[in-house]
Amino acid sequence: MEYRKLGNTDLELSAITYGAFAIGGNMWGGNEQKDSIASVQASIENGITTLDTAPFYGFGLSEKMIGEAIKGYDRTKIQLLTKFGLVWDGSNNGKGEFFFDAEENGKAIPVYKYASKASVIKEVEESLKRLQTDYIDLLQIHWPDATTSISETMEALEILIQQGKIRAAGVSNYSVDQVEEARKTLNIASNQVGYSMLNRGIENDLVPFAQQNDLGIIVYSPMERGLLTGKYFAEGKLKENDHRNGYFQQFDLEKVKNFLNAITPIATEKGATLSQLVLRWTSLQPAISIVLAGSRNADQAAANAKAIDINISTDEMNFINSELAKI
């Protein structure tokens, strides 16, 4: 495994990081908790020491499973990344920015973006309990909250750093302008954003900004929620309540299928899967600090970790990029 320094911090994170959205269950057609915990532990055993989660994932379930999974491991050798700012339990008292209605057991649950100073500090205490730890390595706002000033949110993070409850602070889904605004109050370490072979918008602005300003970039959805594994084209069926039924429709699926067919021989020649090739390609892109990869069982977790060992030559990288240009 490769370990990389995150932005302006002394955090050394695994280049492939465990993404814990799917193990929360909600929006992913449910989950098997035993398998999920096993996937976290298999990740650690294979060198993935960095685990990224959030309170919203399963309404606390993902954080709780991470807390259970890391029992027995040396906490100082594991980096816990979590978030705040999506409130679903009514504690915002109607404040904040309505985001969307989530679903649990057939019931609609309104979710708000809310990141007031008091709310941030409250959320962190709850996350610490669920994770069964006394500090978080990197705390990130989940989505921008238009109803709270960025400076107020950053002031809360500064307090938490001073208290030793978090080692570093970052943001998620922030524009470059929002990052610059945040850094007027606190020198944040990173921005977590969506990025993949099919979604390269950050290369226009965030990547050059990060390179010039020592900002870490953490990327999620490198596999486009499983589309780039190729399994969807082979199997083509998802559970009815799986959000990806709608999500995949934003892409030209025929072009994506042709692209995957074109690069499959590269993976095959290396004894790798498409997933591993895609993860490695993503990890090698300029300014990318770490890449989040989800897994729902131990085998998937081990395979994700091994992606970092793949060597992609200059000619192979050029070929992959030329095929991407056709999508």
Side-chain angles (χ1 to χ4, degrees), residues 105-171:
N105 299 322
K107 179 182 177 182
I109 299 178
V111 177
Y112 289 82
K113 300 175 185 176
Y114 187 53
S116 73
K117 186 180 294 184
S119 185
V120 174
I121 292 171
K122 173 181 177 292
E123 278 202 68
V124 168
E125 293 300 329
E126 293 169 347
S127 288
L128 289 171
K129 289 178 182 177
R130 287 190 288 258
L131 291 166
Q132 301 182 54
T133 188
D134 57 2
Y135 71 94
I136 292 162
D137 294 277
L138 178 71
L139 183 68
Q140 310 152 93
I141 184 170
H142 207 147
W143 285 90
D145 166 25
T147 69
T148 303
S149 69
I150 290 175
S151 61
E152 177 180 341
T153 302
M154 294 303 114
E155 286 168 7
L157 294 173
E158 192 167 29
I159 290 170
L160 291 165
I161 290 173
Q162 292 169 354
Q163 292 176 340
K165 292 180 178 177
I166 67 173
R167 292 179 62 191
V171 296

Side-chain angles (χ1 to χ4, degrees), residues 4-11 138 168-170 179 183 186-191 206-218 287-289:
R4 300 176 178 177
K5 178 178 174 292
L6 183 69
N8 53 30
T9 75
D10 60 359
L11 293 176
L138 178 71
V179 169
R183 281 193 156 189
L186 179 65
N187 195 17
I188 56 171
S190 58
N191 189 9
L206 182 60
V207 166
F209 177 88
Q211 291 172 318
Q212 295 164 15
N213 294 278
D214 200 15
L215 180 78
I217 297 180
I218 300 172
I288 302 305
S289 303

Side-chain angles (χ1 to χ4, degrees), residues 136-258:
I136 292 162
D137 294 277
L138 178 71
L139 183 68
Q140 310 152 93
I141 184 170
H142 207 147
W143 285 90
D145 166 25
T147 69
T148 303
S149 69
I150 290 175
S151 61
E152 177 180 341
T153 302
M154 294 303 114
E155 286 168 7
L157 294 173
E158 192 167 29
I159 290 170
L160 291 165
I161 290 173
Q162 292 169 354
Q163 292 176 340
K165 292 180 178 177
I166 67 173
R167 292 179 62 191
V171 296
S172 300
N173 303 300
Y174 263 38
S175 67
V176 169
D177 287 346
Q178 289 169 325
V179 169
E180 291 184 304
E181 181 65 29
R183 281 193 156 189
K184 291 177 182 178
T185 304
L186 179 65
N187 195 17
I188 56 171
S190 58
N191 189 9
Q192 182 175 147
V193 292
Y195 178 73
S196 75
M197 288 175 159
L198 306 179
N199 173 24
R200 301 175 67 178
I202 65 168
E203 294 176 2
N204 298 323
D205 52 4
L206 182 60
V207 166
F209 177 88
Q211 291 172 318
Q212 295 164 15
N213 294 278
D214 200 15
L215 180 78
I217 297 180
I218 300 172
V219 299
Y220 65 82
S221 292
M223 305 302 304
E224 285 301 350
R225 310 193 188 185
L227 183 62
L228 292 174
T229 67
K231 293 178 183 177
Y232 175 77
F233 298 106
E235 301 164 8
K237 289 185 179 180
L238 298 168
K239 290 185 178 180
E240 187 176 341
N241 62 338
D242 194 313
H243 76 286
R244 291 174 293 177
N245 285 302
Y247 182 83
F248 288 166
Q249 299 311 307
Q250 69 182 288
F251 303 109
D252 186 324
L253 294 177
E254 188 63 27
K255 287 185 177 180
V256 173
K257 182 179 179 180
N258 291 338

